[in-house]
Amino acid sequence: MLDEAAVAAWAAASVRSLDVLRPEINGINVYPVADSDTGSNLLHTFSGAETALAADSGHGAGRALAVLAKGAVEAARGNSGVILSQVLRGLSDAVSDAPEIGPGLLAEAFVLADEAATGAVARPVAGTMLSVMHAVATTMKALAEPVSVEAVAEAAASSARDALARTPSQLPVLARAGVVDAGGRGLVAVLEALHAVVTGAETAAGDAHHHAHVAVEREPVPYAWEVMYLLEGMPEAKLPGLRRALSALGDSVTVAADGDGGHAVHVHCADIGGAIEAGIEAGRPRRIRVEPLITPAPLEPAGGIDRTVVAAVHGDGLAEVLRAEGIAVLSVPSGAAPSMEEMLGLITETTGGHVTVLAGGAALKTAADAAAGHAMVGEREVVVIPCASGVQVLAALAVHDKDRRVSDDVVAMAEAAAATRRGELLVAQEESITWVGRAQAGDVLGLVDGEVVSIEPAPATETNLVAAAMSVLNRMLAVGGELVTVLLGADAPPGVPVELAEQLRLEHPEVELACYPGGATDTVLLIGVE
């Protein structure tokens, strides 16, 4: 069983371990690039929690965790510190006022800790300490009636170490730098400290999953600010609005509850006043702290190529196709626009001083243009290539050549996107008048460059869809073309690619066809002709 003395011993052991590991954790930090003192922030957060517990003890293990969590929220520094405070709060909420914590309750507490930590972050990112905590929670769910606290602590530490080793494969910036996630490394240290306390073993300061790291030199030039404050008196109904307001200002947005009605707010932004005003509108800010963020020297990818190509698209299927090509992708639901924080994350979580953004839609281009001029971009040069749809994104990426000069490569991608004619199949949602006649709800509409050119009567069967696609393609291929690219919408019948390939072979044997899953929900097929 885990009693109050063990909780206090865990807090002390965590502080000692984080103190020893602080230089290592600070040294391997590359994400988020602005949070350069992750080790120091984690240490300060847990030290504050330990101090709070020392001043309020003698109430059982559950109460001890509650005091730790509240102290951590108030002392939290940086995004990593706020997330760690929420891990403690999740543990506390799960055990409530229990005088002692048994193995089953501890396993459940780790699951709730994962939910609390993830819920506090406006834009969770894979490959960070959130991924490490989620792996622990997944392991806890799989445990079959754990027999001891020692077994639960060992499973938590072991799964955290394994997850930490996987972080470079989840976040490209870590892979390029040859490091694991710094916040995740700190979380592993904390879980190892718990295991050491319950088993009586010594806490290991080293990391079995050692990774070489790249020293990141930073120019001492503030380019934005880290704004943090404690917020009291905020109704829960105002929480989504506060997160939206902060996300519009910058990135690394975290709003973390302390379990007692208060919240710790954290954001990286250029508008200090706006961040504080958002807090004033939501509640009563106090202990406001503003620190300069130092312009990071962008990490240089392997081979010395100081550039990165990223994409923002609609449809999870297309996003996976692009990720398979090794580029970072932001997948946005059909008909939606990304937040400023999401676009900033796509741009700033990359390596290289030059970032080319392939924006696969009008709303995506607008969001990318706004983010390109944001102060949080720092000294990166950002170029946005407009693409009317996902097929133009694929066309642009197909001609990308990392060995070309940056300017020449951008021009080539922009020209390839512009030269790709685009077609589309939609199912009419209501009766309407088009250039080619009256369409009824359920009819299949064929569009070329945004204009309706054909109507296939309802229903939208596999045969009707192929007929409509061929009508669009015959019009597009009348002026030439060698390659047809088709992105399948989420509702496209599975037999369409085979039927379309057969029909295209009969009518246009000189043309090559490539079909990919697109996943868009507002279109049945997207068609590109090059």
Side-chain angles (χ1 to χ4, degrees):
M1 301 291 282
L2 194 67
D3 58 15
E4 182 180 1
V7 171
W10 173 40
S14 295
V15 169
R16 288 195 301 272
S17 183
L18 289 171
D19 191 24
V20 171
L21 293 170
R22 177 173 48 175
E24 175 191 335
I25 295 173
N26 284 345
I28 66 174
N29 186 83
V30 292
Y31 176 83
V33 289
D35 189 7
S36 59
D37 296 320
T38 297
S40 301
N41 291 341
L42 291 172
L43 175 60
H44 189 276
T45 300
F46 225 119
S47 295
E50 185 192 24
T51 299
L53 182 57
D56 187 1
S57 59
H59 305 287
R63 173 59 183 170
L65 278 175
V67 173
L68 272 181
K70 187 173 178 60
V73 170
E74 294 194 355
R77 282 188 180 177
N79 213 32
S80 54
V82 174
I83 292 173
L84 179 59
S85 76
Q86 291 306 281
V87 171
L88 293 175
R89 187 180 74 84
L91 292 172
S92 167
D93 288 349
V95 303
S96 188
D97 293 327
E100 292 184 330
I101 303 169
L105 185 56
L106 181 58
E108 293 174 9
F110 277 126
V111 174
L112 192 57
D114 171 51
E115 295 174 359
T118 302
V121 179
R123 188 180 58 85
V125 176
T128 63
M129 63 191 299
L130 290 175
S131 299
V132 176
M133 191 62 230
H134 186 64
V136 173
T138 301
T139 299
M140 294 299 106
K141 292 176 183 178
L143 288 180
E145 297 184 10
V147 296
S148 67
V149 167
E150 291 82 358
V152 174
E154 181 178 9
S158 177
S159 60
R161 284 191 294 268
D162 291 343
L164 179 66
R166 293 192 297 269
T167 55
S169 66
Q170 297 171 312
L171 197 57
V173 68
L174 300 177
R176 292 188 180 100
V179 298
V180 294
D181 178 68
R185 178 66 188 96
L187 182 57
V188 168
V190 169
L191 295 176
E192 288 178 336
L194 175 62
H195 182 242
V197 165
V198 299
T199 61
E202 293 291 328
T203 303
D207 184 5
H209 299 280
H210 177 73
H211 286 69
H213 67 271
V214 176
V216 183
E217 296 181 0
R218 294 173 172 80
E219 294 295 329
V221 179
Y223 72 101
W225 309 90
E226 179 181 54
V227 180
M228 289 193 70
Y229 49 83
L230 299 178
L231 189 63
E232 296 179 343
M234 179 180 68
E236 284 297 314
K238 289 191 175 183
L239 180 57
L242 174 62
R243 282 181 169 154
R244 285 195 298 271
L246 295 174
S247 294
L249 296 175
D251 63 5
S252 295
V253 174
T254 309
V255 182
D258 66 0
D260 196 28
H263 294 78
V265 177
H266 173 279
V267 61
H268 294 167
C269 66
D271 186 356
I272 301 171
I276 297 174
E277 287 173 2
I280 293 174
E281 291 180 5
R284 299 187 301 277
R286 66 181 179 89
R287 290 179 59 180
I288 298 171
R289 187 172 73 250
V290 178
E291 296 182 3
L293 296 176
I294 304 302
T295 302
L299 297 176
E300 186 173 328
I305 302 167
D306 192 29
R307 73 174 86 168
T308 304
V309 176
V310 301
V313 297
H314 294 298
D316 291 338
L318 175 57
E320 288 305 314
V321 170
L322 296 173
R323 290 189 185 106
E325 297 298 319
I327 69 171
V329 184
L330 174 63
S331 178
V332 181
S334 299
S339 68
M340 176 62 73
E341 185 182 16
E342 288 174 326
M343 285 304 309
L344 287 174
L346 178 67
I347 293 170
T348 60
E349 290 161 19
T350 62
T351 60
H354 185 283
V355 181
T356 302
V357 183
L358 301 175
L364 301 177
K365 178 185 179 299
T366 299
D369 285 337
H374 199 283
M376 294 302 300
V377 170
E379 294 182 349
R380 292 176 176 84
E381 180 183 1
V382 180
V383 175
V384 179
I385 295 179
C387 302
S389 73
V391 291
Q392 292 185 336
V393 172
L394 288 173
L397 188 60
V399 301
H400 167 52
D401 185 351
K402 62 183 181 181
D403 294 325
R404 266 197 300 246
R405 288 193 310 173
V406 172
S407 57
D408 293 341
D409 195 42
V410 168
V411 169
M413 287 190 286
E415 289 179 344
T420 300
R421 286 162 286 155
R422 58 187 177 88
E424 189 174 4
L425 294 191
L426 303 174
V427 176
Q429 299 301 307
E430 58 186 15
E431 183 179 355
S432 61
I433 299 295
T434 74
W435 288 108
V436 293
R438 184 183 298 273
Q440 304 294 329
D443 288 349
V444 180
L445 307 182
L447 293 80
V448 174
D449 293 330
E451 295 291 342
V452 178
V453 298
S454 69
I455 301 174
E456 191 72 26
T461 62
E462 194 171 285
T463 300
N464 287 353
L465 288 170
V466 171
M470 287 306 304
S471 177
V472 169
L473 280 169
N474 285 332
R475 180 180 292 264
M476 297 175 73
L477 291 170
V479 294
E482 299 176 349
L483 173 65
V484 172
T485 302
V486 174
L487 291 175
L488 304 171
D491 296 328
V496 166
V498 174
E499 275 200 45
L500 184 59
E502 179 62 21
Q503 197 63 35
L504 195 61
R505 185 186 66 80
L506 293 174
E507 299 186 33
H508 298 278
E510 76 284 0
V511 173
E512 181 183 350
L513 173 67
C515 291
Y516 303 98
T521 57
D522 59 350
T523 184
V524 182
L525 296 182
L526 284 175
I527 303 170
V529 173
E530 302 174 53

